[in-house]
Amino acid sequence: METLSEKTKSTFLNYRERGDFPALQERGILRLLAPRGPEEDALPRGGLPQGEWRQLAEKFAYSRNLRPQWVYVDNFAALIPALIEGRGDVIATNFSRTPNRRSQVAFTRPLQTVNELLITLRDIDKPPQEVAVRRGSAYAETLKEDTEQAYKVTLLDGAVANSTLLAAVAAGEYQATVMDSNLAEALLLNYPQLTASDQLESSRDIAWAVRLNATELRRELNEFLTAELVLAGQNSSKSIRDWEDILESGTLRVLTRNNPASYFIWRGELMGFDYDLLKKFARDHKLRLSMVVPNADMDLTDALQAGMGDMIAASLTVTVTRRQQGLVFTRPYLQVTEQVIAPSTDISLQGDAPLEQMISGKMVAVNPQTSYHESLAEMMLLQRERGIAPIQISEHPGATTEYLIDAVAQGIFPYTVADSHLVAIESTYRDDFRVVADLPNIREIAWAVRTDQSHLLEQLNNFLNKHDRDLFFNVTYNKYFKEKKHILRHQENRLRNTDALSPYDPIVHKYTDKTDRDWRMVVAQMYQESQFNPRARSFSGAQGLMQVLPRTARQLGVENLYKPENGIRAGIAYLGWLDQRFPQNIPVEQKIYFTLAAYNAGHGHVHDARALAQQLGLDPNQWFGHVEEAMLLLSQPKHYRKSRFGYVRGREPVKYVREIRDRYIGYLGVERNGYFNVE
């Protein structure tokens, strides 16, 4: 299978371009700058697999419909001149944010924070006086800033590998060098005679860089990188669990898709038939519900088997193939038919002829991951057996049923297939397609688990048996599939793309573009605070869209919080102030959650929760499953009496952070141009 890097090996003619993101879109190319040198120097910071950052940069390019092209320069010192001169568009390597560099280029949000370590021989009598580093590296700035120790700095030109530097120090050619902490951790294993010291007391943010005028490109990068960090954090908790482990964790992870039947965002609220059913199931068992939406090109069965979630709830059809792939289904909770869809203007498929004759030789567009593909394959066999010209299946991986219906209505594809309950929803608000006929089999919709989850399966079946066509089930079913008024309202205001999340997006862009924040995360928080009501006021006196206290706003230089721009400006400024209240060594993706928790409960209580987490043997630098658990305990006297800032209603910040995170992930899952998370 071709890798992203292999796709970039086509012929490239260099040129100079100093424009912003629209200029790059016009050319269709994103030029990624990196220093020329040994592959060893392509190691990303943080001990990640070799080349992962390269893959990440290329993934960004493809996500924006750009062709990535790597442009190499001689060393780190040549990166910024090449960027400014327009010979590249993004410095996409392990690049430290320093004051000197920040005056010349615009950095993205940090990808990671590292410590700069002084590397010397293990047995030395006195501190080193001379340090060798590569020209253009951030280490030279660090050594110059160290006023307590005047080092003689030797600047090395050319493509010098880190391993070469370490070997030279080990051989006594240089007294010392400097290296990032996590890179040193990986490489020093091969040099037992060397040791690392943090006597420089220097931490640096690692980020990518663009030209100062490339504000739109920087925004696109920040959106992409924040999403990757958040989703990586969600997906990193892969575990194969049954009911007992789920109860112990307190969270049920549900794999799903964004569609009008299962899971969607309506006016900032998470909704859907499957979502509402499982929200009650989770509440009955005192569990938190976490919806996990894999990339569109990843099959939900594969995601479940990989431990990305505990179950699947996505209007999933029960099929023999899926059982053979290791899925075990709950009792069905819906029965549907699969319907062939044509444009409303197409009257060619009419009459009483059998369906296999009616669609003989026709091209039908489907996503190969759906049960529709299996049904059409069965139809092809039937047609061949009867001497009928078989249909032609046009495969579109990652395409949603809605996208395919819309594409058929527009004449892009002649026909597609959709489940009857999805067709019913679409038919309430559009009349540009029609149902030609039903495929022969009645299909059952159910939830799915792995073969080793018998206890979870039992609990889900108990729930479905208990609510089989009862009042709760019927009211929920009617809301999504029967009551036209509700369906129309949901579909009218359902979030279908991320072009417009709120009425205040331009203002949010204005102030987040000056920061490292993803505007979508701020909008998710804004809805949590005020439901987009600029006149909102809390019982404690917080005001406006971001619910900032007037005294806090005055300290930030903002008055009249009911004015939308003022409320948003104050909220974003306060987030920045809170962000600085936490140690730099907290992983950048985790600091997002600590800052949100502090916004809700105060940073003092979050610091208390971190301290308590440390005492309990939890990780004070991880929010979910660690510091959030300690935060819950700070409402108990035996814990809050020992804390510096005392009692806090811990459930509130825990719920606050989770709901904002879930809404943000919901935004990420919204289809763009009809496709769902297509890379």
Side-chain angles (χ1 to χ4, degrees):
M1 181 173 156
E2 187 182 38
T3 65
L4 289 178
S5 294
E6 289 169 342
K7 294 179 182 178
T8 67
K9 292 180 180 178
S10 55
T11 304
F12 172 65
L13 297 176
N14 204 357
Y15 54 87
R16 296 196 180 223
E17 171 63 71
R18 298 184 180 90
D20 200 353
F21 189 63
L24 308 186
Q25 288 180 303
E26 187 173 343
R27 289 184 181 272
I29 295 173
L30 181 71
R31 297 166 302 163
L32 303 164
L33 285 161
R36 183 181 292 108
E39 279 299 310
E40 177 263 327
D41 278 347
L43 275 171
R45 315 242 175 171
L48 296 174
Q50 185 170 351
E52 186 163 321
W53 276 25
R54 179 185 180 95
Q55 296 282 329
L56 188 64
E58 293 175 5
K59 184 177 181 181
F60 165 73
Y62 286 118
S63 74
R64 269 52 178 182
N65 296 317
L66 299 172
R67 180 166 62 86
Q69 179 63 55
W70 288 92
V71 178
Y72 295 100
V73 296
D74 289 336
N75 51 42
F76 273 83
L79 287 170
I80 290 179
L83 182 68
I84 293 173
E85 292 165 13
R87 291 185 280 124
D89 305 310
V90 181
I91 296 175
T93 188
N94 39 336
F95 206 55
S96 298
R97 297 206 302 192
T98 70
N100 179 51
R101 288 173 174 174
R102 295 185 81 158
S103 67
Q104 303 174 73
V105 297
F107 280 93
T108 64
R109 63 156 302 134
L111 283 83
Q112 194 168 11
T113 300
V114 298
N115 296 323
E116 295 177 331
L117 303 179
L118 191 67
I119 311 297
T120 65
L121 285 168
R122 186 173 297 277
D123 299 317
I124 55 175
D125 298 328
K126 57 182 181 180
Q129 303 299 310
E130 180 180 349
V131 183
V133 295
R134 288 176 289 192
R135 186 180 299 277
S137 67
Y139 310 140
E141 288 188 46
T142 300
L143 294 169
K144 184 178 179 180
E145 293 167 1
D146 192 338
T147 56
E148 295 184 6
Q149 176 70 47
Y151 294 106
K152 178 183 177 182
V153 180
T154 300
L155 298 177
L156 305 176
D157 293 309
V160 182
N162 284 306
S163 57
T164 302
L165 267 174
L166 293 177
V169 175
E173 295 177 32
Y174 305 122
Q175 293 182 18
T177 190
V178 181
M179 191 169 293
D180 288 337
S181 52
N182 31 40
L183 193 57
E185 182 180 352
L187 296 177
L188 284 181
L189 295 174
N190 298 320
Y191 301 91
Q193 66 272 52
L194 300 181
T195 187
S197 164
D198 62 355
Q199 68 185 63
L200 297 176
E201 297 182 350
S202 174
S203 295
R204 299 281 194 190
D205 287 333
I206 305 302
W208 292 343
V210 300
R211 286 178 289 277
L212 290 172
N213 69 323
T215 54
E216 290 188 47
L217 176 58
R218 180 177 180 272
R219 178 199 300 166
E220 294 287 335
L221 282 163
N222 276 340
E223 287 184 22
F224 172 79
L225 293 172
T226 303
E228 288 293 307
L229 288 169
V230 170
L231 292 176
Q234 186 192 40
N235 295 339
S236 65
S237 59
K238 295 179 180 178
S239 54
I240 307 297
R241 316 188 301 179
D242 199 0
W243 182 241
E244 293 77 11
D245 296 323
I246 293 169
L247 283 178
E248 184 177 353
S249 73
T251 301
L252 176 67
R253 302 168 303 151
V254 179
L255 291 158
T256 191
R257 293 297 191 202
N258 188 310
N259 66 55
S262 297
Y263 177 66
F264 60 90
I265 296 181
W266 178 75
R267 292 181 175 176
E269 290 292 336
L270 302 178
M271 299 187 70
F273 183 58
D274 285 304
Y275 179 75
D276 282 4
L277 293 183
L278 284 166
K279 188 165 62 173
K280 178 168 178 53
F281 173 80
R283 186 167 57 244
D284 289 349
H285 294 282
K286 297 182 172 54
L287 292 169
R288 295 182 287 258
L289 185 63
S290 177
M291 306 302 286
V292 181
V293 185
N295 286 335
D297 58 356
M298 186 173 197
D299 189 82
L300 290 176
T301 302
D302 295 336
L304 182 65
Q305 301 296 1
M308 290 177 59
D310 302 312
M311 61 176 291
I312 299 174
S315 287
L316 201 64
T317 304
V318 179
T319 68
V320 173
T321 299
R322 285 172 173 158
R323 292 187 191 277
Q324 292 172 344
Q325 291 172 339
L327 293 187
V328 179
F329 290 95
T330 63
R331 57 157 291 171
Y333 58 94
L334 288 178
Q335 286 189 330
V336 299
T337 58
E338 295 175 334
Q339 301 178 319
V340 179
I341 304 300
S344 58
T345 55
D346 182 355
I347 58 174
S348 61
L349 301 187
Q350 299 282 8
D352 299 326
L355 180 61
E356 62 267 22
Q357 292 181 1
M358 193 183 303
I359 62 175
S360 171
K362 304 297 185 182
M363 192 269 279
V364 185
V366 293
N367 182 339
Q369 297 170 335
T370 62
S371 63
Y372 315 144
H373 188 275
E374 185 175 321
S375 298
L376 291 175
E378 293 174 0
M379 176 67 70
M380 289 177 68
L381 290 174
L382 179 64
Q383 289 171 322
R384 289 194 178 100
E385 289 173 359
R386 298 181 178 180
I388 302 172
I391 57 173
Q392 303 172 44
I393 301 178
S394 177
E395 297 184 351
H396 299 274
T400 65
T401 299
E402 286 178 286
Y403 166 77
L404 291 172
I405 290 176
D406 189 61
V408 166
Q410 294 182 47
I412 298 173
F413 305 128
Y415 307 103
T416 190
V417 178
D419 282 334
S420 55
H421 68 311
L422 297 177
V423 171
I425 293 174
E426 293 290 304
S427 298
T428 59
Y429 67 96
R430 62 189 302 172
D431 58 4
D432 52 0
F433 72 90
R434 68 184 185 87
V435 176
V436 172
D438 292 350
L439 291 173
N441 297 327
I442 300 295
R443 293 288 197 175
E444 294 180 330
I445 303 293
W447 296 331
V449 298
R450 294 182 298 272
T451 56
D452 59 354
Q453 294 177 291
S454 58
H455 293 166
L456 173 58
L457 180 67
E458 179 183 3
Q459 293 296 331
L460 292 171
N461 278 331
N462 288 343
F463 175 82
L464 292 171
N465 287 328
K466 176 182 178 182
H467 296 288
D468 182 26
R469 300 301 185 268
D470 69 354
L471 180 62
F472 161 72
F473 185 94
N474 288 333
V475 167
T476 307
Y477 178 85
N478 291 340
K479 180 171 72 170
Y480 290 105
F481 303 120
K482 288 290 187 182
E483 296 173 0
K484 187 172 182 179
K485 179 180 177 181
H486 280 114
I487 296 172
L488 283 171
R489 186 174 57 163
H490 291 161
Q491 294 308 306
E492 180 183 3
N493 294 283
R494 178 182 161 218
L495 192 65
R496 297 175 183 275
N497 59 61
T498 56
D499 295 338
L501 300 181
S502 80
Y504 308 103
D505 292 353
I507 302 174
V508 177
H509 278 302
K510 177 180 177 180
Y511 291 101
T512 55
D513 284 355
K514 303 172 185 177
T515 71
D516 294 330
R517 302 200 175 278
D518 185 335
W519 71 280
R520 297 167 298 184
M521 185 72 79
V522 173
V523 172
Q525 182 182 7
M526 187 196 308
Y527 184 85
Q528 188 75 18
E529 290 287 355
S530 66
Q531 288 74 56
F532 303 147
N533 176 13
R535 302 298 301 177
R537 179 185 175 91
S538 74
F539 70 91
S540 63
Q543 300 174 0
L545 287 167
M546 295 293 286
Q547 290 292 279
V548 179
L549 288 168
R551 65 174 180 273
T552 301
R554 285 192 294 271
Q555 293 171 349
L556 297 168
V558 181
E559 300 283 350
N560 187 11
L561 290 168
Y562 293 124
K563 182 179 178 181
E565 180 159 352
N566 292 355
I568 291 169
R569 178 160 64 98
I572 293 172
Y574 186 43
L575 284 168
W577 184 86
L578 289 169
D579 187 84
Q580 297 173 10
R581 308 276 81 79
F582 294 100
Q584 199 171 6
N585 67 330
I586 294 178
V588 290
E589 75 278 6
Q590 293 299 317
K591 195 176 284 190
I592 294 172
Y593 306 128
F594 285 106
T595 302
L596 289 174
Y599 195 103
N600 178 263
H603 66 91
H605 291 302
V606 179
H607 286 300
D608 282 347
R610 292 187 68 231
L612 179 57
Q614 181 95 48
Q615 296 169 21
L616 297 173
L618 301 171
D619 188 343
N621 292 338
Q622 296 285 325
W623 176 257
F624 293 111
H626 293 268
V627 176
E628 69 168 353
E629 299 300 329
M631 179 67 78
L632 292 171
L633 297 176
L634 286 176
S635 61
Q636 299 177 10
K638 69 175 181 179
H639 293 296
Y640 73 69
R641 285 173 181 166
K642 300 176 184 177
S643 67
R644 180 180 177 186
F645 291 91
Y647 171 83
V648 62
R649 290 188 295 272
R651 288 191 301 273
E652 292 184 11
V654 167
K655 180 182 178 183
Y656 181 83
V657 173
R658 280 191 173 269
E659 292 190 354
I660 293 172
R661 191 275 307 264
D662 289 349
R663 186 173 299 109
Y664 173 75
I665 290 176
Y667 289 158
L668 300 182
V670 171
E671 57 186 346
R672 297 182 64 164
N673 299 321
Y675 279 82
F676 181 62
N677 273 354
V678 174
E679 297 177 25

